[in-house]
Amino acid sequence: MTAHTQNVRWTLLGVMLAMLLGMLDNNIVGTAMPTIVRDLGGFEHLSWVVTAYTLATAVATPIWGKLGDLHGRKTVFQSSIAVFLTGSLLAGAAHSMVQLIEFRALQGIGAGGLAAGAFALIGTLVPPRERGRYQGMTATVMAVGVVGGPLVGGFVTGHLGWRWAFYVNLPLGLIALAWIQLRLHLPARAPKPRPRIDWAGTAVLTVTIVAAVLAATWAGTTYAWTSWQILLLWAVAVLGAALFAVVERRAAEPLLPPRVFTGHRNFPLAVGLLLATGVVMFGSALYLPLFQQTVQGATATGSGLLLLPLMIPVVIASNVAGKVMSRTGRYKIFPVLGTLLLTAGTLLLATMDTDTSRVAAGCFMALVGLGMGFTMQMGSTIAQNSVELRDMGAASAAANLFRTLGGSLGVAVFGSLFTRAVPTAARGEAYRTAVATGTQHIFLTAAAVCALGFVAAVLLIEVPLRGGPGAQAGRRTPETNQPVTRLATESPADHSG
């Protein structure tokens, strides 16, 4: 390992620590929710503790991304950490369910900048061709977030109380802030005229996202799928998306520049890959532990450990794919193979019933984990390689927005399928059978989404990655007509971002 590579790894460690905050938080809080409800009451508002956080995250993600492009990524990233920590502190001190929901929304606003800012900083510090060297770090953070969240949540809630499910973010976040301030040095920014904020685009996108997430969350639970409330929300989401496209074409500084989506066909295809992996990742993290606890008799802590066959292959596959990509510059084979494994793995998970052993379930999860490892980080790299460096923040935010929306919409649809399959009056063996049936419906739907992801992977064009051997500043690739530049990771730093 060269000194340069080691230096970048140390810098990225602080960025990854901040990203881990958002990933751990939802899983920790989910484990603490029964205790929170017993203490604060307000069971009828329980779903809004999650919905408020998810909505705020989805709405804030593209805004943070664009702010990073305009005002400097370091400063904006640190600001998002500060907002997240403020929300965590207030949520831990909440005295009612309404207060908790409000402070969770503030947390969600900060969380929107954690993922968007982290991936934009990775894209700024590391050219796509070299990204594979660090891909395993990102995959490990995601695995720790999914598996470690329930374990940490159970321990903290049981020994320190539910308020520490939020307070535990404070020391981690403060370390991340200090680390980034001391270690993250970005190239000096060229002076820019006073940027104009795309208020119209922000407002339209906010309404669109809120309508889509609420429609998916309420459909089949609060309201019927064909009720006027759900149909109206979907109509608002569709019309909002169309209006947003029009507004962005006319904006001087668009929130999500249309050129990001139209510049090269790889970007929307990569977004499709991320959406599919978001559906599988969020659905697996939520419903596999439920299957393991209800049908296979695992404890709450044990079900977190039983997710290891899913997450360990994610780390291994991400490392292998990343090293091959960095060494050869070839990458298309990985999302193709990954989506194929995802489709096969989810189809096998859809066959699980009350007689399925933990070993068999673990093998099925391993296939899904390999597929996620080959696809998830590669999708982000392909998306960032498809845009100009000036749009790195907006592109990273868009990619994370669609991954988050994919997960949110997928979980909402899965919840409706699961609720329909599991009668509220079911008990004993009938309940176990109903949970197994609901799980089958969920992963059969996920397999269909992964099959569409496979089509997107096949349609990808394998264009050269920026920062490859012999790349020179200012040279343009014939496929994308984009400048191929190697960013300096250390320069006379503009510490403001």
Side-chain angles (χ1 to χ4, degrees), residues 260-345:
V260 168
F261 293 90
T262 60
H264 196 282
R265 81 181 196 187
N266 273 6
F267 185 84
L269 291 173
V271 164
L273 294 177
L274 293 171
L275 191 148
T277 55
V279 168
V280 176
M281 181 173 69
F282 282 83
S284 299
L286 184 60
Y287 288 100
L288 281 176
L290 183 61
F291 177 86
Q292 291 163 337
Q293 291 177 42
T294 305
V295 179
Q296 296 183 325
T299 64
T301 302
S303 65
L305 294 175
L306 288 173
L307 284 178
L308 290 178
L310 175 72
M311 301 315 300
I312 290 176
V314 172
V315 178
I316 295 173
S318 293
N319 272 294
V320 170
K323 289 179 179 178
V324 172
M325 180 184 71
S326 293
R327 193 170 297 136
T328 67
R330 308 304 295 268
Y331 55 87
K332 179 177 176 177
I333 183 61
F334 295 111
V336 171
L337 179 59
T339 49
L340 194 60
L341 288 170
L342 280 173
T343 305

Side-chain angles (χ1 to χ4, degrees), residues 4 124-125 127 129-130 133 389 466-474 483-489:
H4 168 79
T124 302
L125 290 169
R129 178 64 184 268
E130 298 180 10
R133 296 179 183 176
L389 296 178
R466 282 195 298 266
Q472 298 173 2
V484 180
T485 54
R486 180 180 294 273
L487 287 176
T489 56

Side-chain angles (χ1 to χ4, degrees), residues 31-120:
T31 306
M33 281 312 300
T35 307
I36 294 174
V37 171
R38 285 197 299 270
D39 189 12
L40 297 181
F43 179 80
E44 66 277 11
H45 302 307
L46 178 63
S47 63
W48 276 100
V49 176
V50 177
T51 302
Y53 182 92
T54 304
L55 274 176
T57 300
V59 169
T61 295
I63 298 173
W64 284 114
K66 188 61 181 180
L67 289 174
D69 287 340
L70 293 176
H71 297 290
R73 296 192 177 98
K74 178 177 178 178
T75 300
V76 170
F77 188 54
Q78 289 177 306
S79 299
S80 70
I81 298 173
V83 171
F84 182 84
L85 294 182
T86 302
S88 299
L89 179 64
L90 293 173
H95 294 290
S96 69
M97 190 63 79
V98 172
Q99 282 187 349
L100 180 61
I101 291 169
E102 293 171 348
F103 299 145
R104 283 286 284 166
L106 181 60
Q107 258 193 309
I109 292 173
L114 295 182
F119 282 105

Side-chain angles (χ1 to χ4, degrees), residues 159-381:
H159 290 80
L160 301 175
W162 67 263
R163 296 184 185 279
W164 279 93
F166 300 101
Y167 293 153
V168 73
N169 293 325
L170 300 180
L172 289 175
L174 292 174
I175 291 172
L177 275 174
W179 195 295
I180 290 167
Q181 180 62 33
L182 295 173
R183 297 287 309 182
L184 179 59
H185 307 304
L186 299 180
R189 292 168 53 84
K192 284 188 175 183
R194 183 178 179 85
R196 286 181 282 180
I197 304 299
D198 180 17
W199 296 114
T202 300
V204 173
L205 184 63
T206 299
V207 172
T208 302
I209 291 173
V210 169
V213 173
L214 288 181
T217 302
W218 287 342
T221 53
T222 306
Y223 304 104
W225 277 93
T226 55
S227 66
W228 69 265
Q229 293 94 336
I230 300 302
L231 293 177
L232 178 61
L233 284 170
W234 282 124
V236 170
V238 171
L239 291 174
L243 180 60
F244 180 70
V246 173
V247 169
E248 294 303 271
R249 288 193 183 98
R250 299 178 178 178
E253 284 285 355
L255 186 65
L256 291 178
R259 62 179 176 268
V260 168
F261 293 90
T262 60
H264 196 282
R265 81 181 196 187
N266 273 6
F267 185 84
L269 291 173
V271 164
L273 294 177
L274 293 171
L275 191 148
T277 55
V279 168
V280 176
M281 181 173 69
F282 282 83
S284 299
L286 184 60
Y287 288 100
L288 281 176
L290 183 61
F291 177 86
Q292 291 163 337
Q293 291 177 42
T294 305
V295 179
Q296 296 183 325
T299 64
T301 302
S303 65
L305 294 175
L306 288 173
L307 284 178
L308 290 178
L310 175 72
M311 301 315 300
I312 290 176
V314 172
V315 178
I316 295 173
S318 293
N319 272 294
V320 170
K323 289 179 179 178
V324 172
M325 180 184 71
S326 293
R327 193 170 297 136
T328 67
R330 308 304 295 268
Y331 55 87
K332 179 177 176 177
I333 183 61
F334 295 111
V336 171
L337 179 59
T339 49
L340 194 60
L341 288 170
L342 280 173
T343 305
T346 49
L347 281 174
L348 287 171
L349 288 174
T351 67
M352 295 192 303
D353 55 27
T354 55
D355 295 324
T356 302
S357 69
R358 293 183 183 179
V359 173
C363 291
F364 302 160
M365 285 190 283
L367 281 180
V368 173
L370 287 172
M372 288 173 61
F374 284 143
T375 306
M376 190 160 48
Q377 297 308 310
M378 205 63 69
S380 297
T381 299

Side-chain angles (χ1 to χ4, degrees), residues 1-16 121-127 130-135 137 179 183-186 486-491:
M1 183 185 295
T2 65
H4 168 79
T5 300
Q6 194 170 23
N7 184 58
V8 173
R9 286 190 188 279
W10 278 106
T11 301
L12 289 181
L13 190 59
V15 176
M16 295 294 180
L121 285 169
I122 294 170
T124 302
L125 290 169
V126 186
E130 298 180 10
R131 194 80 44 79
R133 296 179 183 176
Y134 314 95
Q135 213 161 262
M137 293 177 67
W179 195 295
R183 297 287 309 182
L184 179 59
H185 307 304
L186 299 180
R486 180 180 294 273
L487 287 176
T489 56
E490 294 288 347
S491 70

